Amino acid sequence: MTDRADAELSAAETPPSPPVTVEDFEEVARGRLPQMVFDYYAGGAGDEWTLQQNREAFARWSFRPRVLMGGGFADLRTTVLGQDIPFPIMLAPTAFQRMADRYGELPTARAARSLDALMVLSTISTVPLEDVAETGVHRWFQLYVMRERELSAGLVKRAHAAGYRAIVLTVDTPWLGRRLRDERNRFALPPGIGLANLQGVEMPKPDQPGSSLAAYFGADHDFALGWNDLPWLRSLSPLPLVLKGVVTAEDTRLAVEAGVDAVVVSNHGGRQLDGAPATLDALPEVVEAADGRIEVYLDGGVRRGSDVLKALALGARAVLIGRPYLWGLAANGEAGVRQVIELFRDELILAMGLCGCRSVSEISRALVSPAAGVRGTDRGA
Ligand code: FNR
């Protein structure tokens, strides 16, 4: 046999390496998705500075691990708004999942269901909220408020009737951020995929220059929504209200005064205001302002179990992941989403074990300190 044939044979015999990190799933997804779809999922607003900062912020903290604590596998169980969840990792609302998998939000919900994880469904999902509810997944509903208020009121009532247990109002999106990748790609929904919760509402046609999603938001969404609209929103259902997209102490205090139940420290995964702070950087001031009166969650750039642990050490009660499970969905459908959630869960167990934390209640601020070489006055050691 020639050397070349030999090499070809051994290459053919070597199985492709299985994905072992979120980035590995992303690479598989990149190979499977059309460029327009990959860019829509992966991209951020403007120069994507905030998108990048979300990741970098985690590297600015190191652990102060404790040793010889005994105890074996860490217990990850916790509660959010009084609901039991098996680990402090939830699925963030992400739009248009049928672009990743033909069954869209259903395999995501089934994967979450199989692990007892909580999923937040987007207003602009591509499967109706009632069909997602039928999977039995623990579920909250993410709300965008339309200028035609009755449409949004109808969504809240439907979500309540379908067993969603909280309304997550996204407050960082009065308009859509400028997502340059989508503008260049003239982003539009592929044929046959639509806004499944909003009968009769159409996204602008694909021949529109720029992003059709940005055009849709500009035309239909209520960019004038204010704090004084929250009583109206609360009157629509008895469900707890969560504000997603708070990054300052001022807004956290207003949220507490408004009787909101929780906030998500989020910058929409860097997709809205480019220049907004990394969520991990904003977390301490929100936690301080919340002062234990409301729950604080975080999303943005969480890619490792150790990232989850850092966020919890800095005061988050739980985190949400967005893109990572979309990569799992695109790579391998329901099984892919499940693998990604398990990856986070198992990495968190390991990180906690290596830090000497036996349960979520043992995670404290003493577990982290600014990494060597990180300057800054506000992060306190
Ligand atoms: C989002 N996000 C989002 N948020 C929301 O409130 N409603 C939505 O419909 C969407 N849609 C959406 C689509 C895609 C493709 C992405 C990546 C994100 C934001 C999402 O809930 C969450 O805040 C971020 O995804 C968290 O950041 P990571 O985990 O993606 O870094």
Side-chain angles (χ1 to χ4, degrees):
M1 199 185 285
T2 63
D3 284 353
R4 176 143 176 235
D6 217 8
E8 275 170 11
L9 189 63
S10 64
E13 278 168 358
T14 312
S17 46
V20 296
T21 64
V22 170
E23 291 77 9
D24 291 348
F25 280 98
E26 178 174 353
E27 271 321 295
V28 179
R30 187 199 293 270
R32 295 197 163 192
L33 295 171
Q35 188 71 36
M36 180 197 77
V37 173
F38 178 81
D39 278 346
Y40 168 71
Y41 288 160
D47 297 320
E48 301 191 341
W49 181 86
T50 295
L51 176 66
Q52 197 183 337
Q53 288 299 308
N54 276 351
R55 272 310 290 138
E56 290 184 3
F58 286 97
R60 295 197 277 264
W61 291 93
S62 61
F63 289 114
R64 301 179 62 251
R66 301 295 308 280
V67 298
L68 297 175
M69 302 292 282
F73 289 114
D75 181 354
L76 305 190
R77 284 174 299 172
T78 189
T79 63
V80 283
L81 299 179
Q83 280 177 251
D84 292 320
I85 52 172
F87 36 79
I89 302 156
M90 308 187 275
L91 301 191
T94 61
F96 308 150
Q97 293 180 26
R98 282 188 61 208
M99 297 194 308
D101 179 285
R102 61 195 289 234
Y103 299 108
E105 288 78 4
L106 287 178
T108 303
R110 290 191 185 115
R113 171 77 191 86
S114 73
L115 296 168
D116 246 353
L118 192 151
M119 166 182 184
V120 186
L121 184 74
S122 170
T123 283
I124 49 176
S125 62
T126 45
V127 171
L129 66 91
E130 288 82 2
D131 294 6
V132 172
E134 271 179 24
T135 64
V137 68
H138 294 304
R139 52 197 180 274
W140 292 354
F141 185 73
Q142 178 269 326
L143 186 71
Y144 283 130
V145 176
M146 321 286 155
R147 237 172 278 167
E148 204 179 314
R149 288 285 172 92
E150 279 315 300
L151 267 182
S152 300
L155 284 176
V156 172
K157 288 174 184 157
R158 280 170 59 194
H160 181 225
Y164 288 75
R165 292 178 65 185
I167 297 297
V168 180
L169 176 69
T170 299
V171 291
D172 57 16
T173 312
W175 292 274
L176 204 73
R178 255 199 97 184
R179 303 173 187 173
L180 306 182
R181 299 194 207 199
D182 293 350
E183 290 185 20
R184 292 195 177 103
N185 293 332
R186 299 185 172 216
F187 174 80
L189 286 180
I193 300 182
L195 307 175
N197 294 320
L198 299 163
Q199 285 288 318
V201 177
E202 294 286 331
M203 295 253 292
K205 293 279 175 280
D207 56 344
Q208 188 97 2
S211 155
S212 70
L213 184 62
Y216 157 69
F217 264 76
D220 285 12
H221 280 235
D222 187 348
F223 51 75
L225 194 75
W227 290 102
N228 53 7
D229 291 310
L230 296 189
W232 163 76
L233 193 53
R234 303 207 67 145
S235 75
L236 299 173
S237 85
L239 294 175
L241 181 62
V242 180
L243 299 189
K244 174 172 176 283
V246 169
V247 292
T248 63
E250 293 90 317
D251 285 338
T252 308
R253 282 192 285 269
L254 287 173
V256 172
E257 282 165 26
V260 160
D261 298 279
V263 293
V264 186
V265 178
S266 174
N267 51 37
H268 217 109
R271 299 161 73 81
Q272 284 299 106
L273 173 65
D274 197 32
T279 49
L280 198 71
D281 289 341
L283 179 64
E285 80 169 72
V286 171
V287 167
E288 195 188 341
D291 199 19
R293 293 173 293 176
I294 56 174
E295 295 187 350
V296 177
Y297 319 125
L298 170 139
D299 74 23
V302 178
R303 298 292 178 270
R304 299 277 182 270
S306 55
D307 297 338
V308 181
L309 186 51
K310 287 178 185 177
L312 265 58
L314 290 168
R317 187 164 185 91
V319 302
L320 299 92
I321 52 171
R323 295 177 185 86
Y325 78 82
L326 290 175
W327 304 141
L329 182 65
N332 200 13
E334 177 182 337
V337 176
R338 193 184 157 102
Q339 285 161 344
V340 167
I341 302 172
E342 286 174 335
L343 178 63
F344 276 98
R345 181 198 62 191
D346 295 348
E347 283 186 355
L348 178 58
I349 291 174
L350 181 60
M352 286 174 68
L354 294 176
C355 281
C357 271
R358 289 162 296 199
S359 68
V360 167
S361 61
E362 282 187 8
I363 300 171
S364 77
R365 179 64 183 75
L367 197 63
V368 290
S369 63
V374 172
R375 278 173 296 148
T377 50
D378 60 347
R379 268 189 281 283

